Amino acid sequence: MQTLTIIQPDDMHLHLRDGEALKAVLPFTARQMGRAVIMPNLKPPVVSVADALAYKQRILAALPEGSTFEPLMTLYLTDKSTPELVREAKAAGIVAFKLYPAGATTNSDSGVTDLFKLIPVLEEMAAQNILFLVHGEVTDPEIDIFDREAVFIERVMKPVLEKVPGLKVVFEHITTADAARLVMEAGDNVAASVTPQHLLLNRNDLLVGGVRPHHYCLPVLKRESHRKVLVAAVTGEKSHKFFLGTDSAPHAQSAKENACGCAGMFSAATAIELYAEIFENAGALNKLEAFASKNGARFYGLPENPRTITLVKRPQQVAPKVPFGNGDALVPMRGGESVSWTVEY
Ligand code: DOR
Ligand code: ZN
């Protein structure tokens, strides 16, 4: 049987939530990832260093016994963030600030209304060498939801990179050929995370034959031509600029299967297996380790994980549902179907 041993991966974009939900989802990530970059969009959001350090303690307390998993903490950028906060964050070991344009996605109400008013804050991020993680979508109601990433590039991303050339930017969960091109053409201070869903699915998987609420996430799935460019980007000549970030974002089944369904896909249960499928289908399994375990660590200035994990080419059934605390259930990505790789734990 085909096996593949790689350096233990990191998930550079993860939603863990809090309380019972945190306890329910964390073990899935902790058993396959060495580290994860923890998104700060809690209710209320993680805006201060004290908030982040307290959240980190709750994550560590929720880990299974003996786990060596390390959460990498981030702060939620708001209109009130200051250069001082950036210095404080750096000193406390916070790895990044996350931009949610106000109204862009789940719990983004406290997000930034005008990024150009925060240029001094971004300049301090560059000076402190702390990363700037970007949810790259405009929220202007006049812009079609499928165009929001492409418009963001022109209206925000390019001008910001020009104004603050030393800023280290992760263009998060990219979904379009436009974003892949921007990253490939930018300097080495710009990289991107890519989710399993945006590499595996297109908007037909969301809308053909009935609305599939479990495939609804933000940025929304795009057309097949974009998916193909993303696969080419993560396996191609400039693939060192792209890395694993699942954006695994749990929502209760009842909140997904709803007249106004929440955005987010829970992929943490079989994340590396899904990526293995993607790289295998692209004939690029030899590039999986760099994408999953090296490129992100390098960009974040971290050592590679000391352990390895072994994937076996043996199909596994993905559970149709996973308990989510308080009697709720989660429907994982591929739930009730199979994934062609299995991690040997
Ligand atoms: O689909 C998404 N879900 N996209 C995001 O940007 C946020 C996330 C969440 O927190 O549920
Ligand atoms: Zn996210």
Side-chain angles (χ1 to χ4, degrees), residues 13 15 17 41 98 100 104-107 135 173 197 216-219 247 249-251 263-265:
H13 186 129
H15 297 270
R17 315 302 190 206
N41 63 332
K98 173 76 190 277
Y100 289 99
T105 186
T106 309
N107 300 344
H135 183 115
H173 44 52
Q197 62 264 31
Y216 176 57
C217 62
L218 287 170
D247 199 17
H251 291 275
M265 293 179 66

PDB file of all heavy atoms in Angstrom, residues 13 15 17 41 98 100 104-107 135 173 197 216-219 247 249-251 263-265, ligand 1:
ATOM      1  N   HIS A  13      -4.714  28.668   9.315  1.00  0.00           N
ATOM      2  CA  HIS A  13      -5.970  29.442   9.403  1.00  0.00           C
ATOM      3  C   HIS A  13      -7.057  28.545   9.967  1.00  0.00           C
ATOM      4  O   HIS A  13      -7.614  27.696   9.280  1.00  0.00           O
ATOM      5  CB  HIS A  13      -6.376  29.947   8.010  1.00  0.00           C
ATOM      6  CG  HIS A  13      -7.562  30.864   8.033  1.00  0.00           C
ATOM      7  ND1 HIS A  13      -7.557  32.085   7.415  1.00  0.00           N
ATOM      8  CD2 HIS A  13      -8.785  30.744   8.597  1.00  0.00           C
ATOM      9  CE1 HIS A  13      -8.724  32.677   7.593  1.00  0.00           C
ATOM     10  NE2 HIS A  13      -9.488  31.875   8.310  1.00  0.00           N
ATOM     11  N   HIS A  15     -10.506  28.195  12.837  1.00  0.00           N
ATOM     12  CA  HIS A  15     -11.499  28.717  13.789  1.00  0.00           C
ATOM     13  C   HIS A  15     -11.787  27.632  14.820  1.00  0.00           C
ATOM     14  O   HIS A  15     -12.264  26.557  14.464  1.00  0.00           O
ATOM     15  CB  HIS A  15     -12.800  29.081  13.061  1.00  0.00           C
ATOM     16  CG  HIS A  15     -12.605  30.176  12.059  1.00  0.00           C
ATOM     17  ND1 HIS A  15     -12.750  31.503  12.368  1.00  0.00           N
ATOM     18  CD2 HIS A  15     -12.229  30.129  10.755  1.00  0.00           C
ATOM     19  CE1 HIS A  15     -12.493  32.238  11.293  1.00  0.00           C
ATOM     20  NE2 HIS A  15     -12.173  31.435  10.298  1.00  0.00           N
ATOM     21  N   ARG A  17     -13.443  28.555  17.899  1.00  0.00           N
ATOM     22  CA  ARG A  17     -14.547  28.993  18.770  1.00  0.00           C
ATOM     23  C   ARG A  17     -14.125  28.926  20.243  1.00  0.00           C
ATOM     24  O   ARG A  17     -12.953  28.990  20.544  1.00  0.00           O
ATOM     25  CB  ARG A  17     -15.827  28.168  18.518  1.00  0.00           C
ATOM     26  CG  ARG A  17     -16.195  27.931  17.056  1.00  0.00           C
ATOM     27  CD  ARG A  17     -16.384  29.204  16.262  1.00  0.00           C
ATOM     28  NE  ARG A  17     -16.967  28.888  14.938  1.00  0.00           N
ATOM     29  CZ  ARG A  17     -16.800  29.648  13.864  1.00  0.00           C
ATOM     30  NH1 ARG A  17     -16.046  30.738  13.918  1.00  0.00           N
ATOM     31  NH2 ARG A  17     -17.376  29.330  12.727  1.00  0.00           N
ATOM     32  N   ASN A  41     -12.129  35.749  15.629  1.00  0.00           N
ATOM     33  CA  ASN A  41     -13.507  36.252  15.471  1.00  0.00           C
ATOM     34  C   ASN A  41     -14.485  35.571  16.433  1.00  0.00           C
ATOM     35  O   ASN A  41     -15.493  35.008  16.028  1.00  0.00           O
ATOM     36  CB  ASN A  41     -13.982  36.139  14.010  1.00  0.00           C
ATOM     37  CG  ASN A  41     -14.056  34.712  13.505  1.00  0.00           C
ATOM     38  OD1 ASN A  41     -13.325  33.845  13.970  1.00  0.00           O
ATOM     39  ND2 ASN A  41     -14.934  34.467  12.537  1.00  0.00           N
ATOM     40  N   LYS A  98      -5.497  40.163  12.288  1.00  0.00           N
ATOM     41  CA  LYS A  98      -6.390  39.703  11.235  1.00  0.00           C
ATOM     42  C   LYS A  98      -7.334  40.830  10.835  1.00  0.00           C
ATOM     43  O   LYS A  98      -8.017  41.413  11.683  1.00  0.00           O
ATOM     44  CB  LYS A  98      -7.206  38.503  11.741  1.00  0.00           C
ATOM     45  CG  LYS A  98      -8.306  38.017  10.793  1.00  0.00           C
ATOM     46  CD  LYS A  98      -7.741  37.232   9.613  1.00  0.00           C
ATOM     47  CE  LYS A  98      -8.777  36.945   8.539  1.00  0.00           C
ATOM     48  NZ  LYS A  98      -9.596  35.785   8.812  1.00  0.00           N
ATOM     49  N   TYR A 100     -10.697  41.781   9.210  1.00  0.00           N
ATOM     50  CA  TYR A 100     -12.021  41.463   8.690  1.00  0.00           C
ATOM     51  C   TYR A 100     -12.646  42.775   8.248  1.00  0.00           C
ATOM     52  O   TYR A 100     -12.970  43.615   9.103  1.00  0.00           O
ATOM     53  CB  TYR A 100     -12.922  40.851   9.774  1.00  0.00           C
ATOM     54  CG  TYR A 100     -12.538  39.455  10.181  1.00  0.00           C
ATOM     55  CD1 TYR A 100     -11.793  39.228  11.334  1.00  0.00           C
ATOM     56  CD2 TYR A 100     -12.915  38.355   9.418  1.00  0.00           C
ATOM     57  CE1 TYR A 100     -11.426  37.945  11.713  1.00  0.00           C
ATOM     58  CE2 TYR A 100     -12.556  37.068   9.793  1.00  0.00           C
ATOM     59  CZ  TYR A 100     -11.818  36.870  10.937  1.00  0.00           C
ATOM     60  OH  TYR A 100     -11.462  35.597  11.302  1.00  0.00           O
ATOM     61  N   ALA A 104     -17.914  41.547   6.384  1.00  0.00           N
ATOM     62  CA  ALA A 104     -17.503  40.599   5.337  1.00  0.00           C
ATOM     63  C   ALA A 104     -17.943  39.172   5.634  1.00  0.00           C
ATOM     64  O   ALA A 104     -18.236  38.405   4.722  1.00  0.00           O
ATOM     65  CB  ALA A 104     -15.988  40.654   5.131  1.00  0.00           C
ATOM     66  N   THR A 105     -17.983  38.788   6.932  1.00  0.00           N
ATOM     67  CA  THR A 105     -18.226  37.378   7.211  1.00  0.00           C
ATOM     68  C   THR A 105     -18.668  37.183   8.661  1.00  0.00           C
ATOM     69  O   THR A 105     -19.026  38.146   9.336  1.00  0.00           O
ATOM     70  CB  THR A 105     -16.959  36.551   6.868  1.00  0.00           C
ATOM     71  OG1 THR A 105     -17.248  35.168   7.016  1.00  0.00           O
ATOM     72  CG2 THR A 105     -15.787  36.921   7.782  1.00  0.00           C
ATOM     73  N   THR A 106     -18.656  35.934   9.134  1.00  0.00           N
ATOM     74  CA  THR A 106     -19.067  35.583  10.494  1.00  0.00           C
ATOM     75  C   THR A 106     -18.368  36.452  11.544  1.00  0.00           C
ATOM     76  O   THR A 106     -17.144  36.545  11.541  1.00  0.00           O
ATOM     77  CB  THR A 106     -18.738  34.091  10.764  1.00  0.00           C
ATOM     78  OG1 THR A 106     -19.273  33.305   9.693  1.00  0.00           O
ATOM     79  CG2 THR A 106     -19.304  33.617  12.086  1.00  0.00           C
ATOM     80  N   ASN A 107     -19.123  37.059  12.422  1.00  0.00           N
ATOM     81  CA  ASN A 107     -18.589  37.897  13.510  1.00  0.00           C
ATOM     82  C   ASN A 107     -17.608  38.958  13.022  1.00  0.00           C
ATOM     83  O   ASN A 107     -16.519  39.115  13.570  1.00  0.00           O
ATOM     84  CB  ASN A 107     -17.897  37.051  14.590  1.00  0.00           C
ATOM     85  CG  ASN A 107     -18.860  36.073  15.209  1.00  0.00           C
ATOM     86  OD1 ASN A 107     -20.068  36.209  15.054  1.00  0.00           O
ATOM     87  ND2 ASN A 107     -18.325  35.090  15.892  1.00  0.00           N
ATOM     88  N   HIS A 135      -8.616  39.015   5.264  1.00  0.00           N
ATOM     89  CA  HIS A 135      -9.823  38.503   4.609  1.00  0.00           C
ATOM     90  C   HIS A 135     -10.079  39.460   3.455  1.00  0.00           C
ATOM     91  O   HIS A 135     -10.557  40.574   3.664  1.00  0.00           O
ATOM     92  CB  HIS A 135     -11.011  38.451   5.582  1.00  0.00           C
ATOM     93  CG  HIS A 135     -12.246  37.862   4.947  1.00  0.00           C
ATOM     94  ND1 HIS A 135     -12.812  36.680   5.345  1.00  0.00           N
ATOM     95  CD2 HIS A 135     -12.991  38.285   3.891  1.00  0.00           C
ATOM     96  CE1 HIS A 135     -13.864  36.409   4.581  1.00  0.00           C
ATOM     97  NE2 HIS A 135     -13.992  37.371   3.694  1.00  0.00           N
ATOM     98  N   HIS A 173      -7.269  32.404   2.556  1.00  0.00           N
ATOM     99  CA  HIS A 173      -8.265  31.602   1.812  1.00  0.00           C
ATOM    100  C   HIS A 173      -8.564  32.181   0.421  1.00  0.00           C
ATOM    101  O   HIS A 173      -9.701  32.541   0.129  1.00  0.00           O
ATOM    102  CB  HIS A 173      -9.551  31.410   2.624  1.00  0.00           C
ATOM    103  CG  HIS A 173     -10.087  32.619   3.339  1.00  0.00           C
ATOM    104  ND1 HIS A 173     -10.314  33.819   2.726  1.00  0.00           N
ATOM    105  CD2 HIS A 173     -10.432  32.791   4.643  1.00  0.00           C
ATOM    106  CE1 HIS A 173     -10.781  34.670   3.602  1.00  0.00           C
ATOM    107  NE2 HIS A 173     -10.857  34.072   4.776  1.00  0.00           N
ATOM    108  N   GLN A 197     -11.555  23.285   0.527  1.00  0.00           N
ATOM    109  CA  GLN A 197     -12.774  23.425  -0.286  1.00  0.00           C
ATOM    110  C   GLN A 197     -12.542  24.224  -1.561  1.00  0.00           C
ATOM    111  O   GLN A 197     -13.107  23.897  -2.611  1.00  0.00           O
ATOM    112  CB  GLN A 197     -13.937  24.008   0.529  1.00  0.00           C
ATOM    113  CG  GLN A 197     -13.762  25.402   1.093  1.00  0.00           C
ATOM    114  CD  GLN A 197     -13.288  25.383   2.531  1.00  0.00           C
ATOM    115  OE1 GLN A 197     -12.579  24.478   2.939  1.00  0.00           O
ATOM    116  NE2 GLN A 197     -13.651  26.383   3.312  1.00  0.00           N
ATOM    117  N   TYR A 216     -21.429  26.111   1.747  1.00  0.00           N
ATOM    118  CA  TYR A 216     -21.445  27.582   1.761  1.00  0.00           C
ATOM    119  C   TYR A 216     -20.378  28.083   2.731  1.00  0.00           C
ATOM    120  O   TYR A 216     -20.396  27.761   3.923  1.00  0.00           O
ATOM    121  CB  TYR A 216     -22.819  28.116   2.179  1.00  0.00           C
ATOM    122  CG  TYR A 216     -22.841  29.627   2.304  1.00  0.00           C
ATOM    123  CD1 TYR A 216     -22.494  30.442   1.220  1.00  0.00           C
ATOM    124  CD2 TYR A 216     -23.156  30.242   3.510  1.00  0.00           C
ATOM    125  CE1 TYR A 216     -22.486  31.822   1.340  1.00  0.00           C
ATOM    126  CE2 TYR A 216     -23.154  31.625   3.632  1.00  0.00           C
ATOM    127  CZ  TYR A 216     -22.811  32.407   2.543  1.00  0.00           C
ATOM    128  OH  TYR A 216     -22.790  33.766   2.663  1.00  0.00           O
ATOM    129  N   CYS A 217     -19.456  28.855   2.205  1.00  0.00           N
ATOM    130  CA  CYS A 217     -18.423  29.480   3.028  1.00  0.00           C
ATOM    131  C   CYS A 217     -18.098  30.818   2.393  1.00  0.00           C
ATOM    132  O   CYS A 217     -18.562  31.121   1.303  1.00  0.00           O
ATOM    133  CB  CYS A 217     -17.172  28.601   3.091  1.00  0.00           C
ATOM    134  SG  CYS A 217     -16.406  28.338   1.477  1.00  0.00           S
ATOM    135  N   LEU A 218     -17.310  31.601   3.118  1.00  0.00           N
ATOM    136  CA  LEU A 218     -16.885  32.898   2.576  1.00  0.00           C
ATOM    137  C   LEU A 218     -15.365  32.987   2.609  1.00  0.00           C
ATOM    138  O   LEU A 218     -14.774  32.611   3.619  1.00  0.00           O
ATOM    139  CB  LEU A 218     -17.497  34.039   3.399  1.00  0.00           C
ATOM    140  CG  LEU A 218     -18.998  34.242   3.168  1.00  0.00           C
ATOM    141  CD1 LEU A 218     -19.568  35.221   4.193  1.00  0.00           C
ATOM    142  CD2 LEU A 218     -19.270  34.736   1.747  1.00  0.00           C
ATOM    143  N   PRO A 219     -14.721  33.466   1.581  1.00  0.00           N
ATOM    144  CA  PRO A 219     -15.310  33.806   0.297  1.00  0.00           C
ATOM    145  C   PRO A 219     -16.021  32.595  -0.329  1.00  0.00           C
ATOM    146  O   PRO A 219     -15.573  31.460  -0.185  1.00  0.00           O
ATOM    147  CB  PRO A 219     -14.103  34.218  -0.561  1.00  0.00           C
ATOM    148  CG  PRO A 219     -13.020  34.551   0.411  1.00  0.00           C
ATOM    149  CD  PRO A 219     -13.262  33.720   1.620  1.00  0.00           C
ATOM    150  N   ASP A 247      -9.204  27.092   7.149  1.00  0.00           N
ATOM    151  CA  ASP A 247     -10.387  27.902   7.430  1.00  0.00           C
ATOM    152  C   ASP A 247     -11.518  27.024   7.968  1.00  0.00           C
ATOM    153  O   ASP A 247     -12.695  27.345   7.810  1.00  0.00           O
ATOM    154  CB  ASP A 247     -10.859  28.686   6.205  1.00  0.00           C
ATOM    155  CG  ASP A 247     -11.778  29.855   6.573  1.00  0.00           C
ATOM    156  OD1 ASP A 247     -11.799  30.249   7.756  1.00  0.00           O
ATOM    157  OD2 ASP A 247     -12.485  30.359   5.683  1.00  0.00           O
ATOM    158  N   ALA A 249     -14.284  25.989   9.962  1.00  0.00           N
ATOM    159  CA  ALA A 249     -15.116  26.965  10.675  1.00  0.00           C
ATOM    160  C   ALA A 249     -16.430  26.309  11.065  1.00  0.00           C
ATOM    161  O   ALA A 249     -17.376  26.270  10.283  1.00  0.00           O
ATOM    162  CB  ALA A 249     -15.367  28.175   9.779  1.00  0.00           C
ATOM    163  N   PRO A 250     -16.461  25.730  12.283  1.00  0.00           N
ATOM    164  CA  PRO A 250     -17.632  24.949  12.667  1.00  0.00           C
ATOM    165  C   PRO A 250     -18.868  25.804  12.957  1.00  0.00           C
ATOM    166  O   PRO A 250     -18.779  26.832  13.624  1.00  0.00           O
ATOM    167  CB  PRO A 250     -17.160  24.234  13.938  1.00  0.00           C
ATOM    168  CG  PRO A 250     -16.091  25.114  14.501  1.00  0.00           C
ATOM    169  CD  PRO A 250     -15.417  25.755  13.314  1.00  0.00           C
ATOM    170  N   HIS A 251     -19.986  25.357  12.425  1.00  0.00           N
ATOM    171  CA  HIS A 251     -21.309  25.915  12.765  1.00  0.00           C
ATOM    172  C   HIS A 251     -22.233  24.731  13.004  1.00  0.00           C
ATOM    173  O   HIS A 251     -22.163  23.736  12.278  1.00  0.00           O
ATOM    174  CB  HIS A 251     -21.876  26.750  11.604  1.00  0.00           C
ATOM    175  CG  HIS A 251     -21.133  28.024  11.354  1.00  0.00           C
ATOM    176  ND1 HIS A 251     -21.382  29.188  12.043  1.00  0.00           N
ATOM    177  CD2 HIS A 251     -20.136  28.313  10.485  1.00  0.00           C
ATOM    178  CE1 HIS A 251     -20.582  30.148  11.604  1.00  0.00           C
ATOM    179  NE2 HIS A 251     -19.800  29.642  10.656  1.00  0.00           N
ATOM    180  N   ALA A 263     -22.018  30.844   7.147  1.00  0.00           N
ATOM    181  CA  ALA A 263     -20.886  30.561   6.258  1.00  0.00           C
ATOM    182  C   ALA A 263     -19.801  29.827   7.014  1.00  0.00           C
ATOM    183  O   ALA A 263     -19.380  30.280   8.078  1.00  0.00           O
ATOM    184  CB  ALA A 263     -20.339  31.863   5.697  1.00  0.00           C
ATOM    185  N   GLY A 264     -19.328  28.722   6.461  1.00  0.00           N
ATOM    186  CA  GLY A 264     -18.200  28.030   7.058  1.00  0.00           C
ATOM    187  C   GLY A 264     -18.298  26.545   6.834  1.00  0.00           C
ATOM    188  O   GLY A 264     -19.385  25.973   6.884  1.00  0.00           O
ATOM    189  N   MET A 265     -17.154  25.905   6.579  1.00  0.00           N
ATOM    190  CA  MET A 265     -17.101  24.456   6.418  1.00  0.00           C
ATOM    191  C   MET A 265     -16.164  23.874   7.465  1.00  0.00           C
ATOM    192  O   MET A 265     -15.077  24.407   7.681  1.00  0.00           O
ATOM    193  CB  MET A 265     -16.607  24.099   5.004  1.00  0.00           C
ATOM    194  CG  MET A 265     -17.610  24.518   3.941  1.00  0.00           C
ATOM    195  SD  MET A 265     -17.062  24.142   2.267  1.00  0.00           S
ATOM    196  CE  MET A 265     -17.052  22.351   2.291  1.00  0.00           C
TER     197      MET A 265
HETATM  198  O1  DOR B   1     -16.871  30.763   5.768  1.00  0.00           O
HETATM  199  C1  DOR B   1     -16.335  31.394   6.647  1.00  0.00           C
HETATM  200  N1  DOR B   1     -16.540  31.117   7.960  1.00  0.00           N
HETATM  201  N2  DOR B   1     -15.537  32.399   6.306  1.00  0.00           N
HETATM  202  C2  DOR B   1     -15.029  33.229   7.205  1.00  0.00           C
HETATM  203  O2  DOR B   1     -14.347  34.148   6.817  1.00  0.00           O
HETATM  204  C3  DOR B   1     -15.362  33.085   8.654  1.00  0.00           C
HETATM  205  C4  DOR B   1     -15.744  31.715   8.967  1.00  0.00           C
HETATM  206  C5  DOR B   1     -16.386  31.570  10.331  1.00  0.00           C
HETATM  207  O3  DOR B   1     -15.839  32.096  11.303  1.00  0.00           O
HETATM  208  O4  DOR B   1     -17.419  30.899  10.423  1.00  0.00           O
END
